[in-house]
Amino acid sequence: MEGCSTVMSRRDFDNLMKIAGPNVPPSAEARQRLAGAYTDLVGLADAARKLGIGESAQFQQTMELLRLRTLADMYRTALEADAKIVSDAEVEEYYRSHVLEFEEVKLHRVVIPKTNLAVKDRQEYEKKALRIAGEMRDRAAKGEDLEVLQKDAYAALGFSAIAPSTDVGNRRRSGLTPEVAEDVFALAAGGISKVEIESYSVVIYKVDAKVTLPWQRVKEEIIHEITKERIETGLKAASRAIRADLNQKYFGVAELTQ
């Protein structure tokens, strides 16, 4: 109808702001931009209705898809908000069940490159690197300083570059490969690992100290993990509740599985 007007209350417009820009500060400029954009949308939508677009099958299908997406997004938001509510008792229970994940070691290491592109006989170099690593490991077990051993290893293998620092800092199991973590965390403070074969290096580790972090120190980390697990569980449960029977001829399911 010509000349009609639409009135929006302040509450409705504030809600529109939250939906359209949840992370945008509600400044006067932002409100004005949204008001202008909304006005344009109202005008275009009115023109579309006059053409009968709102009655078309394409419009109805599009709106159904948008409805499903919006419901799914709102479900995820609700699920995330609920999942973040974690009590201290739940944190402590998770901590007790995963206590090994919160062990921490202070490490030094001797690193010997597995390959040296400057040498002609690479197989010979690799044999020598393993032999030198064994010698360095034996010397480390006798109490020699790893900084000295690192420099000696580089010199013995003919590297002219400055030997790297042996200080690794603090590491958790997740900061090492599973095989190395198993060996290193089995050691007591002062222990020397066997010669570890890693992707690009041969390594000897020394455990300087070993502690189990208290649950209060890792509380936020645990809350994050519990929240993530809850969200994943909720999403999987929702997905499993619906089963799709696909027309194999149309979707080419049989072809994809061949």
Side-chain angles (χ1 to χ4, degrees):
M1 180 173 159
E2 297 293 339
C4 67
S5 62
T6 299
V7 178
M8 178 178 288
S9 69
R10 179 172 182 174
R11 176 186 294 179
D12 289 342
F13 191 83
D14 286 343
N15 287 332
L16 183 63
M17 280 288 296
K18 293 177 183 178
I19 296 170
N23 299 317
V24 177
S27 65
E29 183 181 357
R31 288 196 295 269
Q32 291 173 8
R33 284 199 302 269
L34 178 59
Y38 185 75
T39 301
D40 290 342
L41 288 175
V42 170
L44 292 170
D46 184 58
R49 278 193 293 270
K50 291 176 181 178
L51 290 177
I53 293 175
E55 305 302 323
S56 67
Q58 182 181 8
F59 175 78
Q60 299 300 327
Q61 291 171 347
T62 301
M63 291 304 297
E64 175 61 12
L65 180 59
L66 289 174
R67 187 184 73 85
L68 292 174
R69 285 177 175 170
T70 301
L71 284 171
D73 289 342
M74 294 181 73
Y75 172 72
R76 288 190 184 95
T77 300
L79 183 64
E80 290 171 3
D82 184 62
K84 291 177 181 178
I85 303 173
V86 182
S87 67
D88 283 353
E90 290 171 315
V91 171
E92 291 187 65
E93 181 181 356
Y94 184 97
Y95 176 83
R96 287 192 295 270
S97 301
H98 301 78
V99 68
L100 293 181
E101 296 177 12
F102 305 110
E103 286 186 331
E104 185 175 87
V105 289
K106 181 174 176 56
L107 296 175
H108 277 76
R109 68 182 178 185
V110 173
V111 178
I112 298 173
K114 287 172 64 175
T115 59
N116 184 351
L117 299 179
V119 300
K120 294 181 179 180
D121 192 333
R122 295 187 180 181
Q123 288 186 344
E124 186 61 32
Y125 168 82
E126 291 176 7
K127 291 179 182 178
K128 185 176 182 180
L130 287 173
R131 177 174 59 79
I132 295 298
E135 293 175 1
M136 297 303 111
R137 196 272 169 195
D138 291 341
R139 290 171 60 183
K142 293 176 182 178
E144 290 195 45
D145 183 80
L146 265 65
E147 290 289 345
V148 174
L149 298 180
Q150 180 68 77
K151 293 176 182 177
D152 287 353
Y154 259 47
L157 290 168
F159 286 104
S160 58
I162 298 174
S165 170
T166 64
D167 189 1
V168 180
N170 297 328
R171 289 287 186 274
R172 304 257 288 276
R173 291 175 185 269
S174 58
L176 301 168
T177 63
E179 297 79 9
V180 172
E182 183 177 356
D183 291 341
V184 167
F185 278 86
L187 299 171
I192 304 295
S193 75
K194 65 181 179 63
V195 174
E196 303 286 351
I197 310 298
E198 300 187 359
S199 298
Y200 303 103
S201 307
V202 182
V203 187
I204 304 115
Y205 289 94
K206 179 183 178 182
V207 176
D208 298 309
K210 184 178 180 182
V211 297
T212 299
L213 302 174
W215 74 267
Q216 294 89 342
R217 184 172 168 184
V218 293
K219 180 178 178 179
E220 292 304 316
E221 178 183 337
I222 293 174
I223 289 175
H224 174 77
E225 289 301 318
I226 292 175
T227 298
K228 184 174 71 173
E229 288 180 6
R230 287 177 175 178
I231 293 172
E232 289 176 353
T233 299
L235 292 177
K236 287 179 181 178
S239 297
R240 285 197 296 267
I242 301 295
R243 184 174 68 88
D245 292 321
L246 302 181
N247 183 316
Q248 295 189 6
K249 183 177 180 180
Y250 176 79
F251 285 98
V253 176
E255 296 178 6
L256 292 174
T257 57
Q258 290 178 358

